[in-house]
Amino acid sequence: MFIVVEGIDGCGKSTVASLLAAEIGKKRPVFHTFEPGHVRDGLYRKLIMENVDNPFVVAALFTVDRAEHVEKMIKPALAQGKWVVCERYADSTLAYQGYGMGLDKDLITRMNEQAIKGLWPDKIFYLDIEPGLALARLRNKEKDALEGQGLEFLQRVREGYEEIARARGYVYVDATLPPEIIVKHILEEVKLL
Ligand code: TMP
């Protein structure tokens, strides 16, 4: 089972994914992972942060990070029978670089196809939150160059996710609920409760 958690910055994705992986781990072997930066100890993430003004370079680096992540980490974990919980995946590039930064969406789709080679998640959970609230949550957090792009940017990204969600059949989750409740809902959806 391959599970992806998506959402805008400040939606609480990492907290939910960690809790979810811990709960799944009580019943099944699990691999908790994330994009960007799990492969090569964050090498591509570092390069991305140095190139945030260039949407094409950013999208290319995110998709290269993804291609290696799929080949070297996700596929082997699935092949070993593990459940994979992944924070962000192909749609993050479409939402952030396509809708947020204005890069050609068809180009991103083609780059994603090359990166994942047909490996779509079994379930994508989308933690929905209003961007103003998400930014308020992040107020005291040290932000990297991508996270500091402001309200209008996050609004475009959220609108992107809403369109993608319809095409991809996301499971919507209210990100303002307590993480334990969100995880319970996800476990029910994947039939582990
Ligand atoms: P993170 O906060 O989930 O670690 O992600 C780092 C930032 O990178 C976050 O602002 C979302 C952004 N991002 C993209 O812009 N495109 C992508 O393809 C991915 C995976 C993340």
Side-chain angles (χ1 to χ4, degrees), residues 2-182:
F2 180 19
I3 298 166
V4 163
V5 183
E6 289 278 2
I8 62 172
D9 303 283
C11 70
K13 197 171 17 64
S14 300
T15 308
V16 166
S18 301
L19 207 55
L20 176 64
E23 286 302 315
I24 292 174
K26 292 176 184 169
K27 295 182 175 169
R28 301 279 189 279
V30 67
F31 175 54
H32 175 196
T33 190
F34 57 86
E35 293 185 0
H38 205 174
V39 279
R40 294 189 185 270
D41 287 333
L43 170 68
Y44 297 118
R45 191 182 214 288
K46 183 172 170 291
L47 294 174
I48 288 162
M49 295 309 157
E50 290 172 10
N51 287 281
V52 285
D53 294 337
N54 188 329
F56 172 72
V57 172
V58 168
L61 288 166
F62 273 122
T63 43
V64 170
D65 180 276
R66 180 162 306 124
E68 285 206 45
H69 188 213
V70 167
E71 282 305 318
K72 295 181 175 158
M73 296 179 132
I74 298 178
K75 275 190 186 166
L78 291 170
Q80 289 165 18
K82 291 183 179 156
W83 284 42
V84 173
V85 175
C86 184
E87 299 173 33
R88 302 196 177 283
Y89 197 56
D91 291 340
S92 279
T93 313
L94 197 52
Y96 277 81
Q97 279 64 56
Y99 290 85
M101 295 184 174
L103 191 68
D104 182 355
K105 298 183 194 70
D106 292 334
L107 174 65
I108 295 171
T109 299
R110 290 203 302 281
M111 290 199 291
N112 266 334
E113 281 166 3
Q114 292 299 316
I116 70 170
K117 298 203 180 93
L119 186 68
W120 281 103
D122 298 297
K123 291 261 182 199
I124 303 176
F125 293 94
Y126 177 66
L127 302 190
D128 188 40
I129 188 166
E130 203 270 307
L133 190 55
L135 281 181
R137 281 184 175 188
L138 290 172
R139 196 166 291 142
N140 296 323
K141 187 188 167 227
E142 203 178 307
K143 294 184 212 39
D144 61 36
L146 278 168
E147 287 171 334
Q149 298 196 82
L151 185 63
E152 282 177 19
F153 177 76
L154 276 192
Q155 275 164 344
R156 289 199 298 279
V157 174
R158 189 195 197 199
E159 282 162 21
Y161 271 126
E162 283 167 359
E163 255 182 54
I164 300 164
R166 281 192 286 276
R168 206 88 76 201
Y170 283 3
V171 180
Y172 258 68
V173 184
D174 176 354
T176 64
L177 292 170
E180 293 75 15
I181 304 289
I182 294 176

